[in-house]
Amino acid sequence: MGTGLTVPYGLAVQWPDDFAGKQIVCFVELKAPHVAFGAGFNVIEGLSLGATGYFTFSQLELERDLVGNSATIESHPLFQNDGDGLGSTGSFGVQYQPIESLHLGVSYKIKTDLSYDDGRFILHNKDGDKTVESLTTTKITLPGQLDLAVGYNISKNIYLELDATYTQWSSLGELALLFSELSEGCGDG
């Protein structure tokens, strides 16, 4: 049994001001730490099973240029809004040891759905003044992952392992944003 903390899909990208795709995105940041609780046991000699539960507390921020204006989408800060950016998933694995020095393993982590309710959408004009503010809702799916491993004890003190990972990036798809009514006139314009 054990616990752990990992940040498998955290990312941040900021593009320069002259980036050709700045109407698509200028800046994006996703923080998605996972708290893990896992356990494993030997079924029979040479065969072990394990399972882990993950709880994710995430935060999303995205900026883009809109014809001289910039738009920012932010979720609430980590741990500050009930249900915003929260998700859970699990993984399971099997390890088989056909002979004492050879270890074969496979594990699968299930995809994680994160939903953001009450995210803030803010539109700024070219002077940086806030002109529009609204609440937005979106959902992100973190991909599932299949891992395969082969390990071999070359000697008492040397262990060699080869791992392969397949990540289901196709589950990401698109990021659809749903807006509540836009509230005009929040800035100087």
Side-chain angles (χ1 to χ4, degrees), residues 69-142:
N69 297 320
S70 70
T72 303
I73 297 163
E74 322 180 304
S75 69
H76 287 279
L78 293 173
F79 308 109
Q80 290 190 7
N81 189 38
D82 292 338
D84 196 34
L86 299 179
S88 62
T89 192
S91 68
F92 54 90
V94 177
Q95 184 184 49
Y96 178 57
Q97 198 172 354
I99 59 174
E100 187 176 335
S101 56
L102 180 63
H103 304 262
L104 306 172
V106 61
S107 67
Y108 181 72
K109 182 179 179 190
I110 302 165
K111 67 182 181 175
T112 310
D113 291 325
L114 302 173
S115 61
Y116 298 90
D117 305 321
D118 301 329
R120 293 184 330 146
F121 172 81
I122 305 166
L123 182 66
H124 298 273
N125 65 20
K126 61 185 174 190
D127 298 323
D129 299 321
K130 183 170 36 172
T131 58
V132 175
E133 183 168 351
S134 176
L135 294 179
T136 183
T137 301
T138 192
K139 178 179 160 183
I140 295 176
T141 299
L142 300 179

Side-chain angles (χ1 to χ4, degrees), residues 21-189:
K22 68 182 181 177
Q23 272 115 16
I24 300 169
V25 67
C26 297
F27 173 79
V28 64
E29 182 175 42
L30 173 65
K31 299 174 187 172
H34 289 39
V35 176
F37 302 94
F41 64 95
N42 290 327
V43 178
I44 58 173
E45 187 171 334
L47 181 64
S48 301
L49 300 177
T52 303
Y54 298 92
F55 300 95
T56 304
F57 309 90
S58 66
Q59 183 179 1
L60 172 67
E61 184 175 341
L62 179 136
E63 280 184 31
R64 65 185 291 184
D65 268 0
L66 299 172
V67 193
N69 297 320
S70 70
T72 303
I73 297 163
E74 322 180 304
S75 69
H76 287 279
L78 293 173
F79 308 109
Q80 290 190 7
N81 189 38
D82 292 338
D84 196 34
L86 299 179
S88 62
T89 192
S91 68
F92 54 90
V94 177
Q95 184 184 49
Y96 178 57
Q97 198 172 354
I99 59 174
E100 187 176 335
S101 56
L102 180 63
H103 304 262
L104 306 172
V106 61
S107 67
Y108 181 72
K109 182 179 179 190
I110 302 165
K111 67 182 181 175
T112 310
D113 291 325
L114 302 173
S115 61
Y116 298 90
D117 305 321
D118 301 329
R120 293 184 330 146
F121 172 81
I122 305 166
L123 182 66
H124 298 273
N125 65 20
K126 61 185 174 190
D127 298 323
D129 299 321
K130 183 170 36 172
T131 58
V132 175
E133 183 168 351
S134 176
L135 294 179
T136 183
T137 301
T138 192
K139 178 179 160 183
I140 295 176
T141 299
L142 300 179
Q145 185 172 307
L146 176 66
D147 295 299
L148 303 172
V150 176
Y152 190 76
N153 291 92
I154 295 172
S155 69
K156 181 180 175 184
N157 296 321
I158 299 175
Y159 177 76
L160 181 65
E161 184 170 298
L162 176 65
D163 297 306
T165 300
Y166 171 74
T167 304
Q168 295 173 305
W169 293 114
S170 61
S171 67
L172 291 176
E174 63 184 22
L175 181 62
L177 302 169
L178 304 174
F179 296 96
S180 66
E181 278 188 41
L182 295 176
S183 47
E184 301 278 352
C186 296
D188 295 332

